[in-house]
C-alpha cells in the first residue's frame, strides 16, 4: 500500500512543472551557467585591465633621473603606459580625481645621489585607491624598479645578493590533486547539497499536503481504508526522492561546470574529477543525502499541513530555509573540521563529512557518528510529522 501511494504521488509530482524545474532543470543548468559567466567576466576584466593605458606623471627637478629611466624600461607586456614629466605638483590631484591621470610619482631631488650612495629614497605616490587593478600594476612597477636598483648596488659593492636573503624557500605541496579539488569543490559541494536538497523537498511537500488541502482531495484520501502512517510514509518518500534528485543533479551540474571551465589551475583536472566520481563516492554521498532529505521532509510536512494555501506554506518555509542554511554555512568556514564535536551537530556534520569524502580524508568512525546522528534527527522529524498529521484539526483547518 505504501508503494502504491508512492507511485501515485510520484506521478502527480512529476506532472508539476515547478517541481521539475526546481528538481532537474535549475540544478543541472545553474552551475555551468554561473561558472561560465564568472570565468568569462573575470577574463574580460583581466584582459581589459592589461590593455588599459596607464597615464603616469613623474614629478622631478629633471626628466633625466634614475627612476624615470627604470620606469620607462619596463616592458609594455605588463600593461601599456604613458609617462609625463612634471616639474611641480600643481593640478595633479585634480587630474587624478578626474581620471585624466591615474598615477603620479613624486621623486625627491636627491634621488640619484641617494641611490649612488646606497641610501634609501622616499617616493610619494598619488593614486586613487578605489582603482584596485591600477594599484596592482603600481606595485609591480615599483618592485621591478627596486630590483634593478638593488642589482646596481650589489654590482657597485661587489656583493652577492644571497647576503640579504639567507633562506631560499622551496615549497613542496604534499597535497594530492584529489585533496586540492576536495578543498576547492568540497567546501562548496555540501552547501550545494543543502540548498538544492531543501528546495527539491519544498515544492513537493507543499503540493502533496497544502496543495491537496486546496484541491479538497486530502479528506478523500484519508477516508480510504489505509492507515494514516502509510499515507504519510508514501508521501514522505516522494518528497525525499525529489530532494535527493535535486541534490544529485546539482552535483552533476557543478562537476560539469568544473570540467567545462577550468577555474582550478590544476593539470589533469578532468582525470581528477573522474577519479572522484567513482561508484563508491556516489554511493557514499547518496547515503548521506537520504537521512538529510528525510529530515528536511520531516520538518516541512508539519508546516505544510498547517498552512491553508500554497502562498502561506511558502511564507512559512522561507524562514526555515535560512535556519537550515546557517549550519551549512558554518560548515564552510575555514579551520572547522569534522571531529567528535562537530560530528554531533546535524547538517554541520553532513557538510563537513562531504568535504572530507571529496578530499579522500574521511575518518570512518566520524562518518559513522555523523550518519547515526543524522538518522536520529531524521527519525525524530518523522515522528513529529506523524503526530502533526494525526491531528484532524491540522488537516481540516
Amino acid at each position: 500500500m505504501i508503494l502504491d501511494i508512492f507511485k501515485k504521488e510520484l506521478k502527480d509530482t512529476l506532472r508539476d512543472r515547478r517541481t521539475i524545474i526546481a528538481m532537474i532543470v535549475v540544478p543541472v543548468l545553474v552551475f555551468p551557467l554561473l561558472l561560465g559567466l564568472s570565468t568569462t567576466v573575470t577574463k574580460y576584466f583581466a584582459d581589459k585591465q592589461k590593455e588599459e593605458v596607464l597615464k603616469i606623471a613623474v614629478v622631478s627637478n629633471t626628466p633625466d633621473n634614475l627612476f624615470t629611466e627604470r620606469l620607462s624600461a619596463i616592458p609594455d607586456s605588463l600593461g601599456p603606459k604613458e609617462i609625463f614629466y612634471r616639474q611641480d605638483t600643481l593640478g595633479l590631484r585634480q587630474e587624478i580625481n578626474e581620471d585624466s591621470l591615474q598615477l603620479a610619482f613624486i621623486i625627491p631631488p636627491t634621488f640619484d645621489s641617494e641611490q649612488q650612495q646606497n641610501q634609501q629614497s622616499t617616493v610619494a605616490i598619488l593614486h586613487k585607491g578605489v582603482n584596485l587593478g591600477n594599484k596592482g600594476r603600481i606595485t609591480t612597477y615599483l618592485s621591478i624598479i627596486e630590483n634593478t636598483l638593488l642589482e646596481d648596488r650589489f654590482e657597485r659593492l661587489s656583493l652577492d645578493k644571497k647576503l640579504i636573503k639567507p633562506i631560499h624557500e622551496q615549497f613542496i605541496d604534499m597535497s594530492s590533486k584529489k585533496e586540492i579539488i576536495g578543498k576547492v569543490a568540497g567546501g562548496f559541494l555540501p552547501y550545494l547539497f543543502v540548498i538544492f536538497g531543501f528546495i527539491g523537498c519544498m515544492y513537493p511537500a507543499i503540493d502533496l499536503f497544502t496543495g491537496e488541502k486546496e484541491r479538497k482531495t486530502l479528506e478523500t484520501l484519508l477516508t480510504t481504508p489505509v492507515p494514516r502512517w502509510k499515507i504519510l510514509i508514501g508521501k514522505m518518500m516522494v518528497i525525499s526522492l525529489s530532494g535527493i534528485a535535486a541534490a544529485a543533479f546539482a552535483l552533476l551540474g557543478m562537476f560539469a561546470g568544473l570540467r567545462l571551465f577550468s577555474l582550478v589551475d590544476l593539470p589533469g583536472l578532468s582525470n581528477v574529477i573522474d577519479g572522484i566520481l567513482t561508484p563508491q563516492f556516489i554511493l557514499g554521498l547518496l547515503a548521506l543525502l537520504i537521512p538529510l532529505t528525510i529530515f528536511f521532509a520531516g520538518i516541512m510536512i508539519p508546516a505544510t499541513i498547517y498552512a491553508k494555501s500554497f502562498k502561506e506554506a511558502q511564507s512559512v518555509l522561507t524562514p526555515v530555509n535560512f535556519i537550515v542554511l546557517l549550519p551549512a554555512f558554518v560548515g564552510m568556514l575555514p579551520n572547522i573540521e569534522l571531529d567528535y564535536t562537530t560530528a554531533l551537530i546535524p547538517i554541520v556534520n553532513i557538510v563537513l563529512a562531504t568535504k572530507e569524502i571529496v578530499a579522500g580524508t574521511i575518518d570512518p568512525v566520524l562518518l559513522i557518528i555523523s550518519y547515526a546522528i543524522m538518522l536520529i534527527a531524521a527519525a525524530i522529524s518523522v515522528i513529529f510529522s506523524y503526530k502533526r498529521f494525526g491531528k484532524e484539526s491540522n488537516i481540516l483547518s
Side-chain angles (χ1 to χ4, degrees):
M1 188 59 67
I2 292 176
L3 186 60
D4 290 337
I5 295 172
F6 170 76
K7 290 179 181 178
K8 178 260 181 190
E9 299 294 1
L10 182 60
K11 289 179 182 178
D12 290 341
T13 299
L14 293 177
R15 292 191 186 107
D16 185 23
R17 186 179 301 175
R18 289 171 301 189
T19 301
I20 297 299
I21 292 174
M23 186 170 62
I24 299 176
V25 178
V26 173
V28 170
L29 296 181
V30 68
F31 286 98
L33 288 175
L34 284 177
L35 293 175
L37 181 62
S38 63
T39 303
T40 303
V41 171
T42 302
K43 186 176 183 301
Y44 170 78
F45 282 107
D47 293 342
K48 185 179 179 181
Q49 184 63 42
K50 290 179 181 178
E51 295 171 359
E52 184 179 344
V53 177
L54 196 64
K55 296 179 180 180
I56 304 172
V58 178
V59 182
S60 176
N61 60 342
T62 172
D64 300 323
N65 59 75
L66 278 174
F67 188 91
T68 306
E69 176 188 329
R70 303 302 167 88
L71 179 63
S72 302
I74 296 175
D76 285 345
S77 59
L78 297 175
K81 60 186 180 300
E82 290 183 20
I83 301 175
F84 305 91
Y85 169 67
R86 299 288 181 86
Q87 289 184 321
D88 53 53
T89 59
L90 186 65
L92 274 182
R93 293 182 182 274
Q94 182 178 351
E95 290 183 72
I96 291 176
N97 286 328
E98 293 174 351
D99 209 35
S100 55
L101 282 177
Q102 285 80 47
L103 175 64
F105 291 110
I106 303 177
I107 312 301
T110 56
F111 183 86
D112 286 12
S113 61
E114 287 172 343
Q115 294 303 313
Q116 291 295 332
Q117 297 171 17
N118 304 319
Q119 296 177 355
Q120 186 181 67
S121 302
T122 300
V123 176
I125 304 167
L126 302 182
H127 71 103
K128 293 185 73 173
V130 292
N131 298 327
L132 299 179
N134 292 342
K135 189 174 181 180
R137 286 170 66 176
I138 295 169
T139 304
T140 302
Y141 292 160
L142 290 175
S143 177
I144 293 172
I145 293 171
E146 190 175 17
N147 286 335
T148 58
L149 293 173
L150 276 174
E151 288 175 1
D152 290 347
R153 288 189 181 186
F154 280 105
E155 187 176 343
R156 283 195 301 268
L157 298 172
S158 300
L159 296 175
D160 190 344
K161 287 191 292 184
K162 295 178 181 178
L163 290 172
I164 63 169
K165 194 171 179 60
I167 296 177
H168 173 67
E169 305 92 348
Q170 185 178 9
F171 292 98
I172 302 173
D173 193 350
M174 301 302 294
S175 303
S176 66
K177 292 180 179 180
K178 186 175 180 181
E179 287 176 323
I180 296 173
I181 293 293
K183 295 304 178 184
V184 175
F188 186 65
L189 181 62
Y191 194 69
L192 178 86
F193 276 172
V194 174
I195 292 175
F196 283 95
F198 190 91
I199 294 174
C201 290
M202 185 171 71
Y203 287 104
I206 295 174
D207 184 67
L208 295 181
F209 290 94
T210 310
E212 288 219 38
K213 286 178 67 176
E214 284 189 312
R215 294 188 295 268
K216 306 298 181 181
T217 56
L218 187 58
E219 294 90 337
T220 305
L221 180 62
L222 294 177
T223 59
T224 59
V226 180
R228 191 163 295 186
W229 68 270
K230 290 186 178 182
I231 297 174
L232 177 65
I233 295 301
K235 288 177 176 288
M236 185 173 285
M237 287 170 61
V238 175
I239 296 170
S240 299
L241 181 62
S242 299
I244 292 172
F249 281 113
L251 169 67
L252 177 65
M254 192 184 96
F255 277 106
L258 284 175
R259 291 194 64 168
L260 290 173
F261 310 100
S262 299
L263 298 182
V264 183
D265 186 15
L266 184 67
L269 175 63
S270 297
N271 294 331
V272 176
I273 292 175
D274 290 338
I276 292 175
L277 292 176
T278 59
Q280 294 84 354
F281 170 79
I282 294 171
L283 290 174
L285 290 186
L286 181 62
L288 292 175
L289 276 174
I290 291 173
L292 180 66
T293 54
I294 292 174
F295 174 73
F296 286 159
I299 61 177
M300 289 180 187
I301 289 173
T304 55
I305 292 172
Y306 178 78
K308 297 180 179 64
S309 64
F310 197 97
K311 185 177 180 180
E312 183 182 351
Q314 283 184 312
S315 301
V316 172
L317 289 178
T318 299
V320 177
N321 188 11
F322 288 110
I323 295 172
V324 167
L325 291 181
L326 182 61
F329 177 75
V330 170
M332 290 179 63
L333 297 176
N335 300 323
I336 296 182
E337 303 292 339
L338 185 65
D339 53 29
Y340 287 98
T341 301
T342 54
L344 300 176
I345 306 173
I347 302 179
V348 173
N349 53 14
I350 296 297
V351 171
L352 297 176
T354 304
K355 186 192 298 186
E356 298 292 337
I357 289 174
V358 175
T361 56
I362 187 68
D363 185 337
V365 176
L366 294 176
L367 178 61
I368 292 171
I369 294 174
S370 301
Y371 192 73
I373 292 297
M374 208 63 228
L375 280 177
I376 294 171
I380 293 172
S381 69
V382 171
I383 294 171
F384 180 66
S385 293
Y386 175 71
K387 289 185 176 181
R388 300 294 295 178
F389 192 61
K391 289 187 177 180
E392 296 289 342
S393 58
N394 293 329
I395 297 173
L396 303 176
S397 60

